[in-house]
Amino acid sequence: AASAPKPLPSSGPKSLREMPHPLATSSSEEMGPALTPSPDLLLPRSIADKDLSLPNGTPVDTSSPASSSSLLNRLQLDDDLDVETRDLFVTVDDPKKHVCTMETYITYRVTTKTTRAEFDLPEYSVRRRYQDFDWLRNKLEESQPTHLIPPLPEKFVVKGVVDRFSEEFVETRRKALDKFLKRITDHPVLSFNEHFNVFLTAKDLNAYKKQGMALLSKMGESVKYVTGGYKLRSRPLEFAAIGDYLDTFSLKLGTIDRIAQRIIKEQLEYLVELREYGPVYSTWGGLEVELSEPLEGVSACIGNCCTALEELSEDMTEDFLPVLREYILYAESMKNVLKKRDQVQAEYEAKLEAVAMKKEDRPKVPTDVEKCQDRVECFNADLKADMERWQNNKRQDFRQLLMGMADKNIQYYEKVCVT
C-alpha cells in the first residue's frame, strides 16, 4: 500500500549565502548608467563571502558543512531566525471534494495569520478552488508587470493517466498551491498587493471577480507595459546574460525531468515483475521440504526489495519531480517578465529617436518619454531584485532536494542489502 505523501520542503526569500550571480562576469563599463548592476552582484566570491549576514544581522558561516545533517540544521536555523521578522503566515490544507449538478471540483482551506495593519483581523480562514488561485496569479501579473510571479501547478491532466480526484494528485496539488502562496507571502512587494489581500480575506471571491476588481496600484499603472510594434535593437549585456542563463537552465532541467520520469517508469515496471517473482519461491519451497527454509528466505528478501523500491519511487514522484516542474515553469515566468522589459525599452528607444529627429536646437524631452524612461528603470530594478531572490530560493531548494534524494537512495540500498 502506498504510504502517506510526504510534505515538500518550503523555502523563503532568505538564503544561507550569497553565491556569485550568473551575471557577475559582466562589465559595468559596457552597460549604460541606467543599467549598471548592483554592486552586490559584482563582488568577487572571496569578498562577498566575508560580509554575509542574516536579515537580523547574524553572521553566516559560508564554509562547507561537514555533513548533510549539519547543513540541514543550518537551514533549519535560518528558518527559525526568519520567523521572528515575519508578520504574515499562510497555509493551504484540508482539501474537500464538492459534487454539484454541473461539475465536480476540489476546494482547499486557506488560513492566514498576520499582524499587518492592512488586515482587519489577525486570522482568516477561507476556502478556494484552483481557478481562484489562477485568478489571483492573473491579477498579480496585471497589476505587478515588473515582478516575477510564482508559477501555479499546471491545470490540465491527461484523462485516463492521472485521476485529478485521487488522494495522491490532490495532495500533490495542495502542496504546490501552498508553496505558491508562501512564495507570494515572502515577497516584499507582492505580499502587499490588494488582490492578494482580497484573496486571503474575502468570503465570497466571486463577487470581486464579477466586479472586475479595478484595483490597480499606482505602481502597476505607471509600469503597465505597451505591446506595440516596437523592436528592441539589442538587450543590455546583463539582461542578455539573464536570458541566456534561463534558456540553458530550462534546457538542462527539462532533460533531468525527462530522465527522472523514465527512471520512475522503469522502476515501476521492475516492481511489477518483482512482485510476481517473489511468490514463485514460496510455492517452490512448499513443494520441496528440504529447500523450504532457503527458498522462503529468498522470497522474503524479494518482498523486502519490493517495499523499499516502492518507497523510493514514491519519494521521487512526490518530492523530486514537483520541484523540477516548478522551476521549469518558474524559468518560463522569468522569461515573460524579461520580454515585457524588452518591450518597454524598445518603446523608450523609439520615443528618443522621435525626439532626436526634431530640428529644434534644444528640443524639450516630452513628459511621455520621461515616463517611459521611468518604466524602463523600474523594470530593470525589479527584474534584477527578483532574479537574485529567485536564485537564492533555487539554491536552497535544490540543496534540500538533492541531499534528501541522496539520503533516500542510501536508505533504499541499506534496506535491500543482504547481510
Side-chain angles (χ1 to χ4, degrees):
S3 58
K6 302 172 181 56
L8 288 174
S10 178
S11 67
K14 311 299 185 297
S15 66
L16 290 174
R17 55 183 287 184
E18 296 290 337
M19 297 179 67
H21 195 278
L23 314 179
T25 57
S26 300
S27 173
S28 58
E29 284 89 357
E30 297 176 347
M31 307 172 190
L35 303 175
T36 302
S38 61
D40 293 341
L41 300 182
L42 301 177
L43 285 176
R45 179 188 294 267
S46 59
I47 298 177
D49 286 351
K50 293 180 181 179
D51 300 324
L52 296 181
S53 62
L54 296 174
N56 61 358
T58 305
V60 176
D61 178 18
T62 59
S63 59
S64 300
S67 65
S68 60
S69 60
S70 65
L71 177 55
L72 290 175
N73 290 338
R74 215 165 68 184
L75 289 169
Q76 183 62 45
L77 179 62
D78 267 358
D79 292 339
D80 292 342
L81 290 172
D82 190 44
V83 167
E84 299 176 2
T85 64
R86 294 187 181 181
D87 55 6
L88 181 62
F89 299 86
V90 181
T91 57
V92 178
D93 60 9
D94 189 28
K96 287 185 178 180
K97 184 177 181 180
H98 300 262
V99 180
C100 303
T101 305
M102 301 297 295
E103 62 176 335
T104 301
Y105 58 93
I106 303 292
T107 63
Y108 305 85
R109 180 175 62 188
V110 178
T111 303
T112 305
K113 295 182 180 180
T114 182
T115 57
R116 290 187 180 180
E118 293 80 10
F119 293 84
D120 297 329
L121 300 174
E123 186 171 346
Y124 296 86
S125 180
V126 295
R127 297 203 71 85
R128 298 285 184 256
R129 56 187 298 185
Y130 180 90
Q131 67 180 27
D132 297 329
F133 288 84
D134 191 44
W135 170 87
L136 170 63
R137 191 179 190 283
N138 289 334
K139 285 299 181 182
L140 290 176
E141 280 194 328
E142 176 185 311
S143 58
Q144 310 282 176
T146 64
H147 285 288
L148 171 63
I149 311 301
L152 276 172
E154 291 156 306
K155 180 176 182 179
F156 300 104
V157 296
V158 180
K159 293 184 178 180
V161 178
V162 178
D163 178 10
R164 66 189 184 97
F165 297 115
S166 66
E167 291 185 7
E168 294 79 7
F169 178 80
V170 171
E171 176 61 14
T172 299
R173 172 163 285 186
R174 182 204 65 78
K175 290 187 288 189
L177 294 176
D178 181 75
K179 177 172 282 189
F180 168 72
L181 292 188
K182 281 181 168 57
R183 300 285 198 199
I184 299 174
T185 301
D186 292 337
H187 196 282
V189 176
L190 300 181
S191 63
F192 288 92
N193 186 274
E194 293 169 290
H195 302 294
F196 187 46
N197 185 305
V198 168
F199 177 87
L200 297 178
T201 61
K203 289 295 182 182
D204 183 14
L205 192 60
N206 290 326
Y208 288 89
K209 291 181 180 180
K210 294 176 181 177
Q211 294 172 5
M213 273 292 293
L215 296 178
L216 284 178
S217 64
K218 293 182 180 179
M219 179 62 71
E221 284 285 5
S222 64
V223 298
K224 191 173 182 181
Y225 64 95
V226 180
T227 56
Y230 305 106
K231 185 176 181 180
L232 182 66
R233 292 177 177 175
S234 63
R235 279 178 177 168
L237 290 179
E238 60 180 327
F239 295 109
I242 290 178
D244 293 341
Y245 173 83
L246 292 173
D247 289 339
T248 303
F249 178 76
S250 298
L251 179 63
K252 299 300 183 183
L253 210 59
T255 302
I256 295 173
D257 181 55
R258 288 191 298 273
I259 294 174
Q261 292 191 50
R262 188 167 68 244
I263 291 174
I264 293 174
K265 180 177 180 292
E266 292 174 354
Q267 285 179 341
L268 294 177
E269 292 173 350
Y270 174 58
L271 184 59
V272 171
E273 299 291 336
L274 208 58
R275 282 172 174 162
E276 295 178 357
Y277 188 48
V280 173
Y281 287 92
S282 295
T283 305
W284 185 5
L287 298 175
E288 298 194 41
V289 180
E290 296 82 359
L291 298 175
S292 176
E293 184 175 348
L295 290 174
E296 287 294 340
V298 173
S299 179
C301 180
I302 293 175
N304 186 42
C305 290
C306 288
T307 302
L309 183 58
E310 183 178 14
E311 292 176 355
L312 180 63
S313 298
E314 288 176 356
D315 288 330
M316 287 194 67
T317 301
E318 297 169 5
D319 294 346
F320 190 74
L321 290 182
V323 176
L324 294 181
R325 194 59 200 159
E326 180 197 12
Y327 273 94
I328 291 174
L329 296 174
Y330 237 136
E332 292 303 315
S333 297
M334 179 64 81
K335 289 179 184 178
N336 290 334
V337 179
L338 191 58
K339 289 179 181 178
K340 295 175 187 177
R341 194 218 73 86
D342 290 346
Q343 291 170 347
V344 172
Q345 182 184 339
E347 179 190 3
Y348 175 57
E349 290 175 351
K351 290 181 181 295
L352 280 181
E353 288 182 358
V355 172
M357 291 177 64
K358 293 184 177 182
K359 297 182 179 179
E360 301 176 13
D361 294 336
R362 294 183 179 181
K364 182 180 179 181
V365 179
T367 304
D368 63 329
V369 177
E370 294 178 347
K371 289 182 178 179
C372 193
Q373 182 183 15
D374 291 341
R375 291 201 298 271
V376 173
E377 294 175 355
C378 183
F379 257 106
N380 292 346
D382 290 348
L383 182 56
K384 287 189 288 186
D386 281 0
M387 181 67 179
E388 186 173 1
R389 184 178 297 104
W390 179 74
Q391 288 281 11
N392 292 337
N393 286 344
K394 177 172 63 68
R395 281 190 286 268
Q396 180 171 325
D397 285 350
F398 275 91
R399 277 178 177 171
Q400 293 181 354
L401 177 70
L402 297 176
M403 290 169 56
M405 291 310 301
D407 288 340
K408 294 296 182 182
N409 277 274
I410 291 172
Q411 293 169 14
Y412 165 75
Y413 286 106
E414 288 176 343
K415 290 176 183 177
V416 302
C417 180
V418 179
T419 57

